[in-house]
Amino acid sequence: MSDGNQGGINLKVVGSRPVRPDGVDKVTGRAQFGADFHLPGMLTGRIKRSPHAHARILKIDASAALALPGVKAVVTSSDFASDATGEIEAGEGHAAIQEIAANCLAKGRVLYQGHAVAAVAATQPEIADEALELIEVTYEVLPHVIDVEAAMAADAPVLHEDMFTKGVTPKPAHASNVAAKHVMGRGDVAAAFNAADLIVEGRYETAAVHQGYIEPHACVASWGADGQSTIWCSSQGQFVIRAMVAKILNMPLSDIKVIPAEIGGGFGGKTTVYLEPVALALSRKCGRPVKIVMSREEVFLASGPTSGAVIDVRLAVRKDGRITGAELTLKYQAGAFQGSPVNLGLMTAFACYDVEALALTGYDVVSNRPKVAAYRAPGAPMAAFAVESAIDDLATRLGMDPIDLRILNAVRDGAKTVYGATVKHAALVETLEAIKASPHYQAPVAKGCARGVAAGFWFNVGGESSAAVHVDEDGGVTVVSSNPDIGGSRASMAMMAAETLGLPIERVRCTVADTTSIGYSGVTGGSRVTFATGMAVVEAAQKVVADLKRRAAATWECDVAMVEWKDGAATCTDPSKDVKPLSIKALAGKSAKTGGPIAAEVSLNAQGAAAGYGVHVCDLQIDAETGRSMVTRYTAAQDVGRAIHPAYVEGQLQGGAAQGIGWALNEEYVYGKSGLLENAGFLDYRMPVASDLPMIDTILVEAKPNPRHPYGAKGVGEVPIVPPLAAVGNAVSRIVGRRMSSLPLSPAKVLAAMGK
Amino acid sequence: MSAVDYLAPSSVADAVRALHAAGPAARLMAGGTDLLVQMRGGRAKPKVVIDLKRIPALTGVRQEAGGFVIGAATSGAMLGEHAALKAAWPGVVEAANLIGSTQVQGRASLGGNLCNASPAADSVPALIAAGAVCVIEGPAGVRELAVEHVQTGPGKTSLSADEILVAFRLPVRPARSGDAYLRLIPRTEMDIAVVGAGVSVALDSAGICTAARVSVGAVAPTCLLVEAAGAALVGTKVDEAALSKVEVAVAAACRPISDKRGTAEYRTKVASVLARRAAVIAKERASA
Amino acid sequence: MSRTVVNAMVNGEPVEFLAGGGQSLLDALRDELRLTGSKEGCGTGDCGACSVIVDGRLVCACLMLAPEAEGKRIETIEGLADNGHLHPLQHQFLEQAALQCGFCTPGLLMAAKALLDRNPDPTESEVRYWLAGNICRCTGYDKVVRAVMDAAADLRQSERPR
Amino acid sequence: MTSIAARVADFTGGLCTFEVDARTVRSLLRELEARFPGLGEHVEQEMSLAIDGEIFQDALGAEIGAESEIVLIPKIAGG
């Protein structure tokens, strides 16, 4: 469903649903993902990992492994550059390169089970496996700490002796696991609570959850004798992989070519390196290409989940339902190294609501878990779970419709966010109204079911992107994108180029270039590709149009101002010229005679990404004797600006909702007493399967196209994972008859809460 | 994974000989859906894998003297497609068909499910409730053993190292009898049972229960035959009072652990609930 | 290492390859035959990305030993299109945007084919339970289920006598 | 100018709101570095700015008005 408001633009391609240019390869098995590359002489790499949650590495003895026939190289952290410094933009923030390196191969200490200690390259997988067992690592096991509040305790085992809490004045005297304390706020919170008619409060917990991409991390690295190297890998950004590998191995960027493979899902989790520097270090040692592919167990043990969190929230409310003040404390797990997305949790928590006084505190806390990585709207879903649950409690206490309560408090254009941005082009109210008017919300709740609603916010970002548009000699067009296509972006890039050039979509193809073939681009993340890389595509296409017009004017010997570009052809508006339109095909065929090949590349740093808002409604039923929940109906509405390819936008809403439902009901990292992960596999991690879900209806709200984007696009990928935790939780709480504040809402927890 | 020899004997005798020759380095494979996972995770490191699926006696379903003989390596999918078996022992078939995905159904077998000796094996409570008997062959010959006597603990069975489970015998289905199996998993599919319960009942013409067997899984080191629960149904119309007694008997028999899949308390509660529900379904089937 | 020669029919063509006794069919397909369309998402039969059809039966190639393939008929994603003509399932997946990253897609297509081979008119619920062994993390399954149901309708239409 | 990020307080000795005289982001960073050594570089490397409600990332040339309100915020990326 589209809410219209096309702003008078007559769009032919944007808004349609063509087949994606890479589609056939992906339905025939021809698409090459990270593990699908084979090179002559290629070796198999394997990684030796810590069996302990926390231990000092006393000694690594690889002599027996190296003596095994077929073993070509072994590397440890000493093979990484010791003087590598600097920061790299990736995922949810900046991480010191030394920490990324130490996460790829442990230095001195292992900080979680599965932490990489050494790696081996051998001629056969079986030999590599045997060699791993022959690498002897001597550990001194140290006390461990897993949970966030336990890690914050004064007597907790400290992971990093040099970590002193940032953001505390004066600087603390003792090292601790609290990497930083963040404070944010405005207004007179105490006064708001003093004047409140009603105070709602609660304490919430969410579990660490994994992105759950189906493709395990995989790469092939090949070192050249002159240092020039090539890496094939599936990632969310070939340029960021190049930058990290270069710094960790102390190489010039121009010596590394990263060729992006197709990527089998990422959701933020493939914005950093785990294998690539290790594989290249191995290749450097033995001069042969090395392939490393993680097992699923390794993915769970050693690649980024997102933070589990403990959250306290208080709302000060007037009796008419207006929220006048709020306090929020977020404690986020960072994993073994600092850098949880707690900042983003603070910034997004109340972003849907116009609340005058806010006092927000966040703690970034390390513990003996894998280092967190970005996961779809990093930091936002947990904070939203707490806030949207509290608002649901408020609606119950006031006897108000939960949508009406949210409309009453919703941000509108001109409102000021806590982080300093002014709300612009926001369609939250329209999205709430769209849900309210939806067939789902209008239908009565089925017998034995309950309904929950929740809203969510994500910033969406812009940033650095590059794209090229090449006109072929026959008038067809190739778009060169700088971002891996994680969910159909080749289609939207080709569509925006086709729209700009006035071509049918079938005449435009799109490819994703390696690091040597296009200008720099940031990661495929932050819901930025359609917006920022799309802007580069459109600007490149506009340059091509300008060039085509110039060539037409030269052909006609008229002023270029008298040339119009329409439907893929130049027409002359000079009444003195009796000429027929020149199609792109005609112009391209004569390009050699009018100045040479027709192509344009644009690199830019896109500012002005518009935020997105989502509202979800969930109906579910619970088996009262077993506590098992089943989602029976689900609708997701979102402020999308303008949908370039509506089917893929719907897909983002549906996929995000499904991930959020899994987060709410079943997914979690389960640790035993010894600090070891007990469910490092799909079997016991329990992501939603097809029979767990109903159809997920979507409403694309196009009431406020983004004026900063040529076709009005807003980022859409991340918002949809923000509302489901509370939408599900609110429905469960309604049936249980009390607030369910701890995720996941497993059958045992629900049954216990039902008093059975 | 180091070198593994793959053997695919075509007779039980050949398989017994191969097993005897290879000793503890050998693992028998039916569907392989547990064994390959264990090999992949390094928890099983066999030197010899003996594939049983090429032995005619181990695959397929035969009707004999009114009962059924099910080859131990017969896949769940084949059981589900056997109309007569499904009509006679719906509980056994539905339990077998709950194991894993469609893909796993194409491979996983009753024999493998039993001999993998997981207390959470879905088909085992249903087989126990049905009164199924194992046909076991070894160097010393053939013997028969009730299913409830096979598992002795997690991963352990009473079969000796050189014996092979060849087939299951399901008895003649009495008139006015029925069976059912239910399990609890957090998702709708793909999980290991947190709790499972199988019930088989026979009624007389007046609807009075004349025989009943109740078995529960994932609540003790092995799947349990809860004789007291069966006894609670005999002589009743499987009414509320009798079902309450089943719940009490099942709860009393449970000795579960708390683990990543569920707490002991939860398992005990839900085992009672599932046993009652399965008894109601079994009774409905018996009355139909 | 002890390796045995395996002869099988893969996508209608006879193949011969060397298999280790402990090697999975998936590794043989990918590494020996270079049929990399079947994917490894877990190696434990939980995700379905390696789904292939063996003698008409849907299986996870990671849960079958390569030597077991001796004498078997194996269908993989590489054989789903017929001489360059897409199968109706492939068409519908493309038309309905039923894939995002595309990694689980080969397994989903093979699983869906196995369903439609035996049930030409499945209900939504039958589709969902049949495909429960194929995890997709991108789509939330909505468009996948619709694509399978519409492909079933296409197949019924094309097979109806005129 | 206001900051909502933890580390800024480390540089400013706890000060959260202050006045700065600058016309572009580049001169603002220079000014911050002069007043609180290390802060200018920290902001350039790790932070974004909201200038009168509009978020800017890596935009050294962006202009700042005489009465502009600037908020230093953590860099926003995403998944």
Side-chain angles (χ1 to χ4, degrees), chain B residues 90-122:
Chain B
V92 170
V93 175
E94 70 199 3
N97 287 168
L98 281 174
I99 302 166
S101 59
T102 312
Q103 288 85 337
V104 168
Q105 281 296 307
R107 305 268 300 164
S109 66
L110 294 180
N113 201 220
L114 178 60
C115 292
N116 186 53
S118 162
D122 278 309

mmCIF file of all heavy atoms in Angstrom, chain B residues 90-122:
data_model
loop_
_atom_site.group_PDB
_atom_site.id
_atom_site.type_symbol
_atom_site.label_atom_id
_atom_site.label_comp_id
_atom_site.label_asym_id
_atom_site.label_seq_id
_atom_site.Cartn_x
_atom_site.Cartn_y
_atom_site.Cartn_z
ATOM 1 N N PRO B 90 -0.772 -44.708 14.499
ATOM 2 C CA PRO B 90 -0.552 -43.289 14.156
ATOM 3 C C PRO B 90 0.413 -42.593 15.119
ATOM 4 O O PRO B 90 1.172 -41.708 14.710
ATOM 5 C CB PRO B 90 -1.958 -42.678 14.233
ATOM 6 C CG PRO B 90 -2.755 -43.624 15.093
ATOM 7 C CD PRO B 90 -2.188 -44.986 14.815
ATOM 8 N N GLY B 91 0.404 -42.993 16.365
ATOM 9 C CA GLY B 91 1.293 -42.350 17.344
ATOM 10 C C GLY B 91 2.753 -42.612 17.027
ATOM 11 O O GLY B 91 3.603 -41.714 17.109
ATOM 12 N N VAL B 92 3.048 -43.860 16.643
ATOM 13 C CA VAL B 92 4.433 -44.204 16.311
ATOM 14 C C VAL B 92 4.879 -43.421 15.077
ATOM 15 O O VAL B 92 5.977 -42.848 15.051
ATOM 16 C CB VAL B 92 4.563 -45.722 16.059
ATOM 17 C CG1 VAL B 92 5.935 -46.046 15.471
ATOM 18 C CG2 VAL B 92 4.326 -46.493 17.350
ATOM 19 N N VAL B 93 4.010 -43.378 14.083
ATOM 20 C CA VAL B 93 4.401 -42.696 12.838
ATOM 21 C C VAL B 93 4.525 -41.195 13.073
ATOM 22 O O VAL B 93 5.477 -40.561 12.609
ATOM 23 C CB VAL B 93 3.400 -43.019 11.711
ATOM 24 C CG1 VAL B 93 3.734 -42.219 10.454
ATOM 25 C CG2 VAL B 93 3.410 -44.522 11.403
ATOM 26 N N GLU B 94 3.598 -40.626 13.825
ATOM 27 C CA GLU B 94 3.708 -39.170 14.024
ATOM 28 C C GLU B 94 4.947 -38.825 14.854
ATOM 29 O O GLU B 94 5.595 -37.797 14.624
ATOM 30 C CB GLU B 94 2.433 -38.561 14.608
ATOM 31 C CG GLU B 94 2.103 -38.900 16.040
ATOM 32 C CD GLU B 94 0.624 -38.639 16.371
ATOM 33 O OE1 GLU B 94 -0.146 -38.253 15.478
ATOM 34 O OE2 GLU B 94 0.243 -38.856 17.531
ATOM 35 N N ALA B 95 5.311 -39.692 15.755
ATOM 36 C CA ALA B 95 6.539 -39.452 16.528
ATOM 37 C C ALA B 95 7.759 -39.526 15.610
ATOM 38 O O ALA B 95 8.635 -38.655 15.650
ATOM 39 C CB ALA B 95 6.661 -40.473 17.649
ATOM 40 N N ALA B 96 7.796 -40.566 14.776
ATOM 41 C CA ALA B 96 8.925 -40.691 13.847
ATOM 42 C C ALA B 96 8.985 -39.485 12.917
ATOM 43 O O ALA B 96 10.062 -38.975 12.604
ATOM 44 C CB ALA B 96 8.791 -41.981 13.036
ATOM 45 N N ASN B 97 7.826 -38.999 12.504
ATOM 46 C CA ASN B 97 7.783 -37.889 11.550
ATOM 47 C C ASN B 97 8.058 -36.530 12.190
ATOM 48 O O ASN B 97 8.190 -35.520 11.490
ATOM 49 C CB ASN B 97 6.435 -37.859 10.817
ATOM 50 C CG ASN B 97 6.307 -38.985 9.799
ATOM 51 O OD1 ASN B 97 5.242 -39.243 9.289
ATOM 52 N ND2 ASN B 97 7.402 -39.687 9.499
ATOM 53 N N LEU B 98 8.130 -36.502 13.517
ATOM 54 C CA LEU B 98 8.477 -35.235 14.174
ATOM 55 C C LEU B 98 9.986 -35.014 14.239
ATOM 56 O O LEU B 98 10.442 -33.931 14.571
ATOM 57 C CB LEU B 98 7.901 -35.206 15.600
ATOM 58 C CG LEU B 98 6.412 -34.890 15.716
ATOM 59 C CD1 LEU B 98 5.955 -35.047 17.159
ATOM 60 C CD2 LEU B 98 6.125 -33.477 15.224
ATOM 61 N N ILE B 99 10.754 -36.064 13.945
ATOM 62 C CA ILE B 99 12.207 -35.931 14.079
ATOM 63 C C ILE B 99 12.738 -35.019 12.972
ATOM 64 O O ILE B 99 12.662 -35.360 11.799
ATOM 65 C CB ILE B 99 12.903 -37.305 13.989
ATOM 66 C CG1 ILE B 99 12.369 -38.254 15.069
ATOM 67 C CG2 ILE B 99 14.417 -37.152 14.105
ATOM 68 C CD1 ILE B 99 12.742 -39.710 14.837
ATOM 69 N N GLY B 100 13.237 -33.874 13.350
ATOM 70 C CA GLY B 100 13.921 -32.995 12.403
ATOM 71 C C GLY B 100 13.041 -32.508 11.267
ATOM 72 O O GLY B 100 11.821 -32.537 11.330
ATOM 73 N N SER B 101 13.725 -32.064 10.214
ATOM 74 C CA SER B 101 13.067 -31.432 9.077
ATOM 75 C C SER B 101 12.622 -32.462 8.050
ATOM 76 O O SER B 101 12.884 -33.657 8.190
ATOM 77 C CB SER B 101 14.079 -30.499 8.424
ATOM 78 O OG SER B 101 15.216 -31.254 8.024
ATOM 79 N N THR B 102 11.998 -31.966 6.982
ATOM 80 C CA THR B 102 11.684 -32.816 5.837
ATOM 81 C C THR B 102 12.956 -33.522 5.367
ATOM 82 O O THR B 102 12.944 -34.718 5.059
ATOM 83 C CB THR B 102 11.150 -31.943 4.680
ATOM 84 O OG1 THR B 102 10.150 -31.059 5.179
ATOM 85 C CG2 THR B 102 10.566 -32.821 3.584
ATOM 86 N N GLN B 103 14.052 -32.771 5.313
ATOM 87 C CA GLN B 103 15.318 -33.329 4.848
ATOM 88 C C GLN B 103 15.779 -34.462 5.767
ATOM 89 O O GLN B 103 16.232 -35.510 5.297
ATOM 90 C CB GLN B 103 16.404 -32.235 4.837
ATOM 91 C CG GLN B 103 16.263 -31.197 3.740
ATOM 92 C CD GLN B 103 15.323 -30.048 4.099
ATOM 93 O OE1 GLN B 103 14.443 -30.175 4.957
ATOM 94 N NE2 GLN B 103 15.494 -28.920 3.436
ATOM 95 N N VAL B 104 15.662 -34.232 7.062
ATOM 96 C CA VAL B 104 16.070 -35.262 8.028
ATOM 97 C C VAL B 104 15.136 -36.468 7.915
ATOM 98 O O VAL B 104 15.560 -37.622 8.035
ATOM 99 C CB VAL B 104 16.090 -34.667 9.453
ATOM 100 C CG1 VAL B 104 16.218 -35.768 10.506
ATOM 101 C CG2 VAL B 104 17.246 -33.681 9.582
ATOM 102 N N GLN B 105 13.870 -36.208 7.641
ATOM 103 C CA GLN B 105 12.902 -37.297 7.465
ATOM 104 C C GLN B 105 13.291 -38.229 6.319
ATOM 105 O O GLN B 105 12.964 -39.404 6.330
ATOM 106 C CB GLN B 105 11.504 -36.717 7.199
ATOM 107 C CG GLN B 105 10.818 -36.243 8.450
ATOM 108 C CD GLN B 105 10.548 -37.383 9.390
ATOM 109 O OE1 GLN B 105 9.959 -38.392 9.019
ATOM 110 N NE2 GLN B 105 11.025 -37.256 10.613
ATOM 111 N N GLY B 106 13.973 -37.673 5.352
ATOM 112 C CA GLY B 106 14.421 -38.496 4.230
ATOM 113 C C GLY B 106 15.505 -39.492 4.628
ATOM 114 O O GLY B 106 15.852 -40.371 3.844
ATOM 115 N N ARG B 107 16.038 -39.364 5.826
ATOM 116 C CA ARG B 107 17.172 -40.182 6.238
ATOM 117 C C ARG B 107 16.967 -40.839 7.602
ATOM 118 O O ARG B 107 17.295 -42.016 7.781
ATOM 119 C CB ARG B 107 18.422 -39.292 6.342
ATOM 120 C CG ARG B 107 18.744 -38.506 5.083
ATOM 121 C CD ARG B 107 19.673 -39.234 4.175
ATOM 122 N NE ARG B 107 20.946 -39.527 4.817
ATOM 123 C CZ ARG B 107 21.822 -40.411 4.367
ATOM 124 N NH1 ARG B 107 21.555 -41.098 3.280
ATOM 125 N NH2 ARG B 107 22.952 -40.621 5.003
ATOM 126 N N ALA B 108 16.486 -40.070 8.560
ATOM 127 C CA ALA B 108 16.489 -40.536 9.956
ATOM 128 C C ALA B 108 15.591 -41.756 10.137
ATOM 129 O O ALA B 108 14.532 -41.862 9.528
ATOM 130 C CB ALA B 108 16.029 -39.410 10.878
ATOM 131 N N SER B 109 16.032 -42.682 11.015
ATOM 132 C CA SER B 109 15.334 -43.957 11.177
ATOM 133 C C SER B 109 14.975 -44.180 12.643
ATOM 134 O O SER B 109 15.547 -43.571 13.557
ATOM 135 C CB SER B 109 16.247 -45.087 10.727
ATOM 136 O OG SER B 109 17.352 -45.164 11.616
ATOM 137 N N LEU B 110 14.052 -45.116 12.849
ATOM 138 C CA LEU B 110 13.698 -45.499 14.218
ATOM 139 C C LEU B 110 14.895 -46.149 14.917
ATOM 140 O O LEU B 110 15.140 -45.920 16.105
ATOM 141 C CB LEU B 110 12.530 -46.483 14.202
ATOM 142 C CG LEU B 110 11.187 -45.948 13.706
ATOM 143 C CD1 LEU B 110 10.137 -47.064 13.764
ATOM 144 C CD2 LEU B 110 10.727 -44.770 14.545
ATOM 145 N N GLY B 111 15.623 -46.976 14.179
ATOM 146 C CA GLY B 111 16.756 -47.665 14.788
ATOM 147 C C GLY B 111 17.828 -46.700 15.248
ATOM 148 O O GLY B 111 18.368 -46.806 16.347
ATOM 149 N N GLY B 112 18.116 -45.742 14.399
ATOM 150 C CA GLY B 112 19.110 -44.736 14.768
ATOM 151 C C GLY B 112 18.642 -43.893 15.932
ATOM 152 O O GLY B 112 19.403 -43.595 16.853
ATOM 153 N N ASN B 113 17.364 -43.538 15.913
ATOM 154 C CA ASN B 113 16.810 -42.709 16.975
ATOM 155 C C ASN B 113 16.925 -43.425 18.321
ATOM 156 O O ASN B 113 17.303 -42.825 19.323
ATOM 157 C CB ASN B 113 15.347 -42.403 16.649
ATOM 158 C CG ASN B 113 14.791 -41.180 17.366
ATOM 159 O OD1 ASN B 113 13.658 -41.190 17.814
ATOM 160 N ND2 ASN B 113 15.571 -40.110 17.490
ATOM 161 N N LEU B 114 16.662 -44.741 18.316
ATOM 162 C CA LEU B 114 16.742 -45.504 19.562
ATOM 163 C C LEU B 114 18.194 -45.700 20.002
ATOM 164 O O LEU B 114 18.545 -45.488 21.162
ATOM 165 C CB LEU B 114 16.057 -46.863 19.388
ATOM 166 C CG LEU B 114 16.108 -47.804 20.600
ATOM 167 C CD1 LEU B 114 15.429 -47.168 21.811
ATOM 168 C CD2 LEU B 114 15.449 -49.144 20.268
ATOM 169 N N CYS B 115 19.055 -46.107 19.052
ATOM 170 C CA CYS B 115 20.428 -46.468 19.428
ATOM 171 C C CYS B 115 21.312 -45.249 19.689
ATOM 172 O O CYS B 115 22.342 -45.350 20.350
ATOM 173 C CB CYS B 115 21.053 -47.363 18.373
ATOM 174 S SG CYS B 115 20.265 -48.986 18.339
ATOM 175 N N ASN B 116 20.927 -44.066 19.167
ATOM 176 C CA ASN B 116 21.642 -42.849 19.538
ATOM 177 C C ASN B 116 21.449 -42.582 21.038
ATOM 178 O O ASN B 116 22.242 -41.899 21.667
ATOM 179 C CB ASN B 116 21.118 -41.674 18.704
ATOM 180 C CG ASN B 116 21.898 -40.411 18.933
ATOM 181 O OD1 ASN B 116 23.117 -40.401 18.812
ATOM 182 N ND2 ASN B 116 21.219 -39.329 19.275
ATOM 183 N N ALA B 117 20.378 -43.168 21.555
ATOM 184 C CA ALA B 117 20.124 -43.221 23.003
ATOM 185 C C ALA B 117 20.040 -41.848 23.651
ATOM 186 O O ALA B 117 20.527 -41.628 24.750
ATOM 187 C CB ALA B 117 21.168 -44.091 23.704
ATOM 188 N N SER B 118 19.414 -40.918 22.934
ATOM 189 C CA SER B 118 19.105 -39.638 23.575
ATOM 190 C C SER B 118 17.830 -39.802 24.392
ATOM 191 O O SER B 118 16.863 -40.389 23.905
ATOM 192 C CB SER B 118 18.891 -38.558 22.520
ATOM 193 O OG SER B 118 18.208 -37.461 23.092
ATOM 194 N N PRO B 119 17.812 -39.281 25.606
ATOM 195 C CA PRO B 119 16.559 -39.337 26.376
ATOM 196 C C PRO B 119 15.448 -38.531 25.727
ATOM 197 O O PRO B 119 14.286 -38.719 26.058
ATOM 198 C CB PRO B 119 16.945 -38.748 27.736
ATOM 199 C CG PRO B 119 18.285 -38.128 27.580
ATOM 200 C CD PRO B 119 18.922 -38.693 26.354
ATOM 201 N N ALA B 120 15.814 -37.649 24.797
ATOM 202 C CA ALA B 120 14.817 -36.803 24.139
ATOM 203 C C ALA B 120 14.385 -37.352 22.782
ATOM 204 O O ALA B 120 13.684 -36.678 22.044
ATOM 205 C CB ALA B 120 15.359 -35.390 23.979
ATOM 206 N N ALA B 121 14.797 -38.570 22.450
ATOM 207 C CA ALA B 121 14.443 -39.152 21.147
ATOM 208 C C ALA B 121 12.929 -39.201 20.988
ATOM 209 O O ALA B 121 12.233 -39.759 21.831
ATOM 210 C CB ALA B 121 15.032 -40.555 21.046
ATOM 211 N N ASP B 122 12.415 -38.613 19.903
ATOM 212 C CA ASP B 122 10.962 -38.505 19.760
ATOM 213 C C ASP B 122 10.269 -39.851 19.581
ATOM 214 O O ASP B 122 9.195 -40.077 20.114
ATOM 215 C CB ASP B 122 10.625 -37.601 18.565
ATOM 216 C CG ASP B 122 10.695 -36.134 18.939
ATOM 217 O OD1 ASP B 122 10.070 -35.753 19.942
ATOM 218 O OD2 ASP B 122 11.376 -35.375 18.230
#
